[in-house]
Amino acid sequence: MLQTIKKIGVLTSGGDAPGMNAAIRAVVRTCAFHSIKCYGIYRGYEGMIDGDFVEMDARSVKGIINKGGTILKSARSKAFRTVDGRKAAYEQLKKAGIDAFVVVGGDGSFTGAMVFNQEFNFPVMGIPGTIDNDIFGTTHTLGYDTALNTVVEVIDKIRDTASSHNRLFFIEVMGRDVGHIAVNVGVGAGAEEILIPEEDLGLDRLLDSLRRSKASGKSSSIVVVAEGDKIGKNVFELKDYVEENMTEYEVRVSVLGHMQRGGSPSCFDRVLASRMGVKAVESLITGKSNYMVGLKNDVMDLTPFDQAVKGKSKINKELLRVSDIMSI
Ligand code: F6P
């Protein structure tokens, strides 16, 4: 028999991403629609351990669909990785009468939810929220589309100054161990080269490519470097290396950093967050647990947590070829 769910908790965990607020709104309002009480859990799993909960209704989430960050705050909790931490969290949830939760976060947050579910048979559901797009089981994570738009806008601006001074820029973008952001913004902003962890371009090929760019009469060059790139040199070392080997280039470096995680979510992320929130709550209501909601072929789908965590989200290698052709 289905266990009736009367109170659902919602938390945001790990690195924040644009669209998290829209997801909180969607979870809270779907609960209200189905006459289920909803509790916001502050500061991710840290707040769960401390019992830092707030009851939320449909009006508590007004005016947040367009806001970056997360009104519930976020954290990467070390304590939740311990048995004692998770036990304390379970006691707090029981005390508040919460009988299921939705976690918006990345693979670390899902691993935590999965272990918690195994230990306490507690219903859990995940919404993928990270700018990195590094989660298996969804073509898009929340915040990824917004981050792409933010980064493309910034690279356009850097291009203005790069071409005014005939300079070469190495621009480091986020993405942890994957190159999704780098390949897409590289094509979208017309970069001459894209360095990502999934492909080892090699320093010689980089120099060849830059020489070709110069010879073809380009006045500026942009090389997008994923933070997890494995070419063996960081962006500052790359600058030194190129300046040593190609004296004709004046090189600058720009590390975009956390600005990539901020800002108002794109329309795509707001719609995605709304769909994911509805799917997550309605899946819990129908007795499903231990899944991540995701987007596949424009349909909302469920992927078991263990697959979402273990699986690899592959970059689209066709984009690298497109980039090579475009940067001729
Ligand atoms: O996972 C999102 C992300 O922004 C990564 O792109 C980056 O590597 C990491 O988080 C940075 O983490 P923190 O905000 O803890 O420095």
Side-chain angles (χ1 to χ4, degrees):
M1 210 171 94
L2 277 186
Q3 184 198 340
T4 317
I5 290 184
K6 297 198 184 77
K7 284 188 191 174
I8 291 180
V10 58
L11 65 148
T12 49
S13 169
D16 64 308
M20 281 187 163
N21 280 325
I24 295 167
R25 172 181 179 269
V27 169
V28 171
R29 291 205 171 159
T30 310
C31 285
F33 182 83
H34 290 287
S35 305
I36 290 169
K37 285 200 174 192
C38 190
Y39 282 76
I41 301 169
Y42 283 110
R43 296 177 289 112
Y45 292 120
E46 287 290 299
M48 193 183 278
I49 291 168
D50 296 343
D52 198 358
F53 307 147
V54 61
E55 190 172 343
M56 299 178 96
D57 63 19
R59 299 283 75 75
S60 329
V61 287
K62 67 175 186 222
I64 65 166
I65 193 169
N66 57 338
K67 299 275 188 292
T70 158
I71 59 164
L72 290 176
K73 315 272 181 194
S74 193
R76 301 189 197 277
S77 175
K78 286 205 179 100
F80 199 75
R81 292 197 199 143
T82 66
V83 181
D84 286 350
R86 292 191 295 273
K87 181 125 198 334
Y90 178 72
E91 297 301 335
Q92 295 286 8
L93 292 172
K94 281 285 122 194
K95 200 163 111 194
I98 296 172
D99 23 46
F101 69 74
V102 177
V103 57
V104 188
D107 54 359
S109 309
F110 295 162
T111 304
M114 192 168 65
V115 174
F116 192 78
N117 169 267
Q118 280 156 8
E119 287 174 344
F120 304 103
N121 192 25
F122 197 91
V124 292
M125 198 58 65
I127 292 179
T130 163
I131 63 164
D132 301 337
N133 204 38
D134 58 348
I135 310 224
F136 177 81
T138 186
T139 53
H140 291 76
T141 56
L142 276 188
Y144 171 57
D145 181 69
T146 306
L148 294 183
N149 289 310
T150 302
V151 176
V152 159
E153 197 182 325
V154 172
I155 298 181
D156 286 348
K157 290 181 175 156
I158 293 176
R159 174 82 74 182
D160 289 344
T161 173
S163 60
S164 302
H165 289 268
N166 291 343
R167 281 174 174 162
L168 161 65
F169 267 81
F170 285 103
I171 302 177
E172 186 188 283
V173 299
M174 278 188 169
R176 205 179 284 277
D177 302 319
V178 296
H180 288 288
I181 295 180
V183 270
N184 280 277
V185 301
V187 172
E192 276 60 44
E193 275 299 345
I194 305 169
L195 307 184
I196 52 170
E198 291 87 346
E199 291 269 299
D200 188 0
L201 178 71
L203 290 167
D204 290 343
R205 222 203 98 182
L206 175 65
L207 289 186
D208 284 351
S209 160
L210 293 174
R211 282 193 188 106
R212 260 185 284 118
S213 280
K214 198 74 178 172
S216 73
K218 290 192 182 184
S219 63
S220 66
S221 288
I222 302 283
V223 178
V224 174
V225 186
E227 65 175 334
D229 177 61
K230 307 222 165 29
I231 203 164
K233 293 194 186 295
N234 67 36
V235 268
F236 296 99
E237 291 164 345
L238 279 175
K239 170 188 185 309
D240 294 343
Y241 180 79
V242 169
E243 281 182 333
E244 274 160 29
N245 288 279
M246 299 182 69
T247 45
E248 64 270 40
Y249 265 119
E250 195 185 354
V251 190
R252 292 289 184 272
V253 169
S254 194
V255 177
L256 301 190
H258 286 78
M259 56 88 64
Q260 295 166 89
R261 291 221 303 243
S264 179
S266 64
C267 181
F268 181 90
D269 275 329
R270 296 181 200 192
V271 174
L272 184 63
S274 306
R275 294 175 75 184
M276 285 180 163
V278 171
K279 182 75 176 177
V281 171
E282 293 191 337
S283 299
L284 282 171
I285 294 172
T286 54
K288 300 227 164 47
S289 172
N290 226 10
Y291 287 97
M292 177 197 84
V293 303
L295 185 68
K296 288 181 193 161
N297 300 319
D298 202 29
V299 173
M300 276 296 123
D301 198 20
L302 296 178
T303 301
F305 268 148
D306 60 338
Q307 285 180 27
V309 167
K310 278 192 221 125
K312 284 260 165 284
S313 71
K314 296 208 174 80
I315 59 143
N316 183 350
K317 294 215 170 152
E318 184 224 351
L319 290 180
L320 294 175
R321 195 172 117 73
V322 169
S323 169
D324 279 349
I325 296 173
M326 291 302 107
S327 59
I328 189 166

